[in-house]
Amino acid sequence: MNRRHDIDALRALAFGLLILYHLSMLYVTEWGWHVKSSYLSETLQIPMLMLNRWRMDLIFLISGISTAFMMQNTSRIGDFLRQRNWRLLLPLAFGILVVVPIQPYAEGVSHGVVQPGFVAFLARYYTAAAWPEHAFAGWQHGYTWNHLWYLAYLWCYTLLLALLQPALATRAGQRLQAACTSLRGPRLLLLPALPLLLYTVALQPHFPGTNDLIHDWYMHAMYFTIFAYGWCLARSTAMWAELLRLRKPALALALACGAIYLALVLRFQTIEEVSTATQWLIWALRNLYVWATLCAILGWAQALLNRPFRWLPWATEAVYPWYLLHQSLIVLLAYWLVPLQVGAVAEPLLVGAGTVLGCWLLTSGLIVRTPWLRPLFGLKPAKQARTTVTIGLA
């Protein structure tokens, strides 16, 4: 299979955008996070809102595409699942135990619920005993995965997709796949948004997004469907060609739906109750905006990014460790810097630059050079990584 440089580049850019998003969470007004700066901005709410609508959908779409590529390169489903278990569950467990704990510690101390002293905090954290109420996100369980929830969700969706392979290989399954891959023109830009709208109407009011694996049914429906869209898309060269052709109409549709959606949200945000028709219109515009944005991104990525950039091999390997590390570094640096009141410009610059520098030093200077650390951060052994196609964080 020819290397899809645009997918590698999109993966790196999507997770880079995730780092910027989490940095901005320090500063956006009225949005709770693990640590908050004293320099808050209402202006950030609008770009953060519009980005928040599709940022994780893009990551799960790319994950579905990458999963399809990996399945095609693996002869047996059992071998594929063993590889995914190793590269998803091991970093998740390591992250919960080693990378993430600084986040609940900083959050708990900032809330005045946890006493300063990281070693003492770890001693209790590793017992998994419940903490005082609202000490940090996940206090009920005694530990948390915070931003690493994505790995747990991705593992579940990968397992489910693998279990569905026999059904998808049947005549009915083949017809279903053919119906999806035969979409062209306006049907491709509109019809895949309909299931997303259905989930929003039927599930969102009852299961708001929580990143709770057991009860997060609305987000599971959304993310798994987008993940399955990516898997299906990866198997159809005709759909890739159509997305390339539709990149301009998709961008126009995304901008139009996004603008009207934002105008309605701002218009009705101070009204406690809106009519059912208005609420459905807002939801319809939101889901059309999400799907059209994803189509536009995939189409423009083919046009602009499908080439072997010099930075791409490094980024493809670095993206997984950077994902694991970045939020802990942001929270740690904010925990140190926020009390110092260094200024509304200096503080985000220092936190952002420190996060990038920390990710780069730890990844390029330590993790990729240390054989026993590589699998803990989702990387293949160095020799295997040099001689095989490395999909990276799928």
Side-chain angles (χ1 to χ4, degrees), residues 246-269:
L246 292 173
R247 65 188 184 279
K248 292 181 181 180
L251 179 58
L253 180 62
L255 293 175
C257 290
I260 301 172
Y261 164 74
L262 179 60
L264 289 175
V265 168
L266 295 177
R267 167 67 177 82
F268 291 102
Q269 66 179 348

Side-chain angles (χ1 to χ4, degrees), residues 279-313:
Q279 184 61 77
W280 280 42
L281 175 60
I282 292 173
W283 283 341
L285 288 166
R286 187 180 85 192
N287 286 288
L288 275 174
Y289 163 68
V290 169
W291 178 244
T293 299
L294 296 178
C295 290
I297 289 173
L298 290 178
W300 283 102
Q302 285 187 83
L304 302 175
L305 299 178
N306 197 13
R307 61 197 68 181
F309 297 101
R310 292 183 61 183
W311 52 269
L312 201 49

Side-chain angles (χ1 to χ4, degrees), residues 206-246:
H206 307 289
F207 302 99
T210 60
N211 295 343
D212 176 350
L213 182 67
I214 305 301
H215 305 102
D216 209 8
W217 294 111
Y218 167 60
M219 299 316 301
H220 281 317
M222 294 288 287
Y223 290 150
F224 180 73
T225 298
I226 294 291
F227 177 80
Y229 284 172
W231 178 84
C232 193
L233 169 64
R235 301 161 60 86
S236 172
T237 56
M239 284 193 75
W240 283 112
E242 187 68 356
L243 286 172
L244 180 62
R245 187 182 72 83
L246 292 173

Side-chain angles (χ1 to χ4, degrees), residues 14-15 17-19 21-22 25 31 48-62 149 211 223 289-290 293-294 297 327:
F15 280 97
L17 192 62
L18 183 68
I19 295 175
Y21 179 87
H22 285 152
M25 285 296 294
W31 290 25
M48 289 285 282
L49 172 67
M50 301 308 288
L51 175 61
N52 191 47
R53 291 297 170 234
W54 53 264
R55 62 184 181 90
M56 288 307 303
D57 299 274
L58 175 61
I59 289 175
F60 277 108
L61 184 69
I62 295 170
W149 64 267
N211 295 343
Y223 290 150
Y289 163 68
V290 169
T293 299
L294 296 178
I297 289 173
Q327 186 163 294

Side-chain angles (χ1 to χ4, degrees), residues 93-262:
F94 176 75
I96 291 173
L97 293 174
V98 178
V99 178
V100 167
I102 189 61
Q103 298 181 42
Y105 170 75
E107 183 177 356
V109 173
S110 298
H111 290 171
V113 179
V114 173
Q115 294 297 316
F118 187 54
V119 174
F121 171 83
L122 283 180
R124 177 170 178 177
Y125 181 82
Y126 289 144
T127 67
W131 291 79
E133 187 174 1
H134 303 306
F136 56 83
W139 61 271
Q140 307 95 321
H141 311 291
Y143 61 92
T144 181
W145 54 33
N146 279 3
H147 68 296
L148 303 185
W149 64 267
Y150 160 74
L151 296 179
Y153 282 45
L154 178 57
W155 179 79
C156 290
Y157 302 161
T158 303
L159 178 62
L160 178 57
L161 186 63
L163 293 175
L164 287 174
Q165 291 305 300
L168 291 171
T170 64
R171 183 174 300 178
Q174 293 293 327
R175 285 200 298 266
L176 177 61
Q177 294 179 64
C180 293
T181 57
S182 65
L183 295 176
R184 300 290 184 269
R187 292 184 303 146
L188 178 56
L189 297 182
L190 299 176
L191 292 184
L194 292 181
L196 310 183
L197 174 60
L198 175 63
Y199 305 148
T200 305
V201 172
L203 296 176
Q204 185 181 11
H206 307 289
F207 302 99
T210 60
N211 295 343
D212 176 350
L213 182 67
I214 305 301
H215 305 102
D216 209 8
W217 294 111
Y218 167 60
M219 299 316 301
H220 281 317
M222 294 288 287
Y223 290 150
F224 180 73
T225 298
I226 294 291
F227 177 80
Y229 284 172
W231 178 84
C232 193
L233 169 64
R235 301 161 60 86
S236 172
T237 56
M239 284 193 75
W240 283 112
E242 187 68 356
L243 286 172
L244 180 62
R245 187 182 72 83
L246 292 173
R247 65 188 184 279
K248 292 181 181 180
L251 179 58
L253 180 62
L255 293 175
C257 290
I260 301 172
Y261 164 74
L262 179 60

Side-chain angles (χ1 to χ4, degrees), residues 22-43:
H22 285 152
L23 174 63
S24 300
M25 285 296 294
L26 282 171
Y27 302 102
V28 63
T29 304
E30 297 180 3
W31 290 25
W33 206 53
H34 310 291
V35 179
K36 296 294 287 188
S37 171
S38 58
Y39 308 111
L40 300 178
S41 170
E42 291 186 2
T43 306

